Amino acid sequence: MTAKVASTEFVRFFARLQNNPNWCKQNIHHPDVHKLKLLNSYTAEKAQQIMVSPEWTKAIFVRHPKSRLLSAYLDKAIQYSERFVGEYCKAFERHNNNYDECVEKHEDFDFFLKRITSTLSEDVHWRTIYSRVDEKWWPYIDYIGYMDNLNDDAKKLFSSIRSSVDGVSAWDRIGVSGWSGNKEGDCKDNLESSIPFLGRSDARHKTRAKKKMKKYYTPDLEKYVEKSFADDLQNPFFHFDNINLSLEDEEGEISVRVS
């Protein structure tokens, strides 16, 4: 799972698929809660076998860095500002930087992009997605889904994964319904919902996200992201929209998927 690409929802999906009764409870990212067996749970030899085996489906969901970075900023530096100061500003200081400067400027998007993400570059919430997987494994990734087409891409992936016991797809098993959006409530309430997995997202999300990016990004910051996060924008596997906010009209029509 990739941070800031609906990772919490995907963890919940896999936990529910494993009949984990706590799939909609709090702290789902904690191993004791989700109880999922991850790739690093295997020996290095077995993990390598999995990566090259056609019997295993290797998939990843990705997000354009401009959108992903803004999401990380609004979540970590703005919504949880006090926690950011206590955790990230202290980490910033441990890298021989000024703690008080971080406290004062951490809610400034320019400071967040140019100072925080560069100093704490290994943080999972903004580290380039491409760098998280060794280059030699990318050709073995079977499916790449996109945040801007999340609902359809998730359905396509989970419809293709079928049980070896009864042949039922993961989507038909648990994806078609039972997702009320009540992430940390009663699991029974969720199960009684007719809403499909990620069904709370709607077609207006992309338009709202574009307007939000225009509010925070300057041409200078766009160029900074394009250069500093080039790994995600200039590799042969991701085909992101070519987002140039400074050139788009108010409806954001100049955005073309690069193939």
Side-chain angles (χ1 to χ4, degrees):
M1 274 71 74
T2 307
K4 308 311 299 178
V5 192
S7 59
T8 299
E9 296 310 302
F10 282 109
V11 173
R12 295 189 192 284
F13 186 95
F14 289 117
R16 181 176 164 187
L17 194 62
Q18 295 293 320
N19 297 313
N20 183 335
N22 297 316
W23 63 272
C24 63
K25 297 298 184 181
Q26 294 183 350
N27 303 319
I28 191 61
H29 283 282
H30 196 286
D32 290 339
V33 179
H34 64 62
K35 299 184 184 300
L36 296 174
K37 192 168 185 179
L38 306 179
L39 191 63
N40 60 12
S41 303
Y42 297 92
T43 65
E45 181 180 5
K46 179 61 178 177
Q48 291 184 46
Q49 291 175 359
I50 290 172
M51 289 301 297
V52 300
S53 171
E55 296 182 0
W56 292 78
T57 299
K58 283 80 65 178
I60 189 169
F61 278 75
V62 299
R63 186 176 188 177
H64 195 290
K66 291 180 184 178
S67 172
R68 183 168 176 249
L69 288 163
L70 180 58
S71 176
Y73 161 75
L74 293 174
D75 179 25
K76 302 300 177 184
I78 301 299
Q79 184 174 358
Y80 296 103
S81 176
E82 186 175 341
R83 183 187 303 175
F84 188 96
V85 169
E87 297 179 8
Y88 288 96
C89 286
K90 288 182 179 178
F92 183 75
E93 182 182 34
R94 288 195 293 271
H95 285 75
N96 298 317
N97 291 294
N98 190 296
Y99 172 81
D100 292 334
E101 181 186 21
C102 179
V103 173
E104 178 184 350
K105 298 181 179 179
H106 76 277
E107 293 188 352
D108 178 79
F109 190 44
D110 187 295
F111 178 84
F112 176 85
L113 279 182
K114 294 181 178 179
R115 301 294 305 282
I116 297 296
T117 66
S118 60
T119 300
L120 307 176
S121 59
E122 295 300 306
D123 188 279
V124 296
H125 298 95
W126 49 76
R127 176 183 174 182
T128 59
I129 300 170
Y130 186 73
S131 70
R132 297 181 66 240
V133 178
D134 193 294
E135 285 186 333
K136 66 183 178 183
W137 302 124
W138 279 108
Y140 295 98
I141 302 297
D142 302 299
Y143 186 84
I144 297 177
Y146 293 84
M147 184 72 175
D148 61 4
N149 198 44
L150 192 60
N151 308 52
D152 291 340
D153 285 355
K155 181 178 180 180
K156 182 178 179 180
L157 170 65
F158 292 133
S159 294
S160 71
I161 300 174
R162 297 184 174 275
S163 168
S164 60
V165 177
D166 57 17
V168 176
S169 74
W171 182 262
D172 288 337
R173 178 85 67 197
I174 66 166
V176 292
S177 63
W179 302 89
S180 73
N182 185 10
K183 299 179 181 179
E184 297 176 354
D186 190 303
C187 292
K188 184 179 180 181
D189 290 342
N190 280 272
L191 292 173
E192 293 175 351
S193 168
S194 62
I195 299 172
F197 179 61
L198 297 173
R200 284 295 183 183
S201 300
D202 57 53
R204 294 171 297 173
H205 172 77
K206 187 175 181 179
T207 300
R208 292 197 301 264
K210 186 66 64 64
K211 289 182 177 179
K212 187 176 291 185
M213 283 194 288
K214 287 182 177 181
K215 178 180 178 181
Y216 287 93
Y217 276 101
T218 64
D220 174 63
L221 291 182
E222 280 200 87
K223 291 177 181 177
Y224 179 82
V225 171
E226 290 163 6
K227 179 179 179 180
S228 300
F229 294 82
D231 272 359
D232 282 352
L233 295 171
Q234 299 177 13
N235 68 70
F237 303 102
F238 302 174
H239 304 300
F240 286 120
D241 288 350
N242 181 20
I243 297 175
N244 191 326
L245 299 167
S246 61
L247 293 180
E248 292 181 1
D249 59 26
E250 291 184 358
E251 278 126 20
E253 296 296 332
I254 308 175
S255 181
V256 181
R257 178 61 60 85
V258 178
S259 59

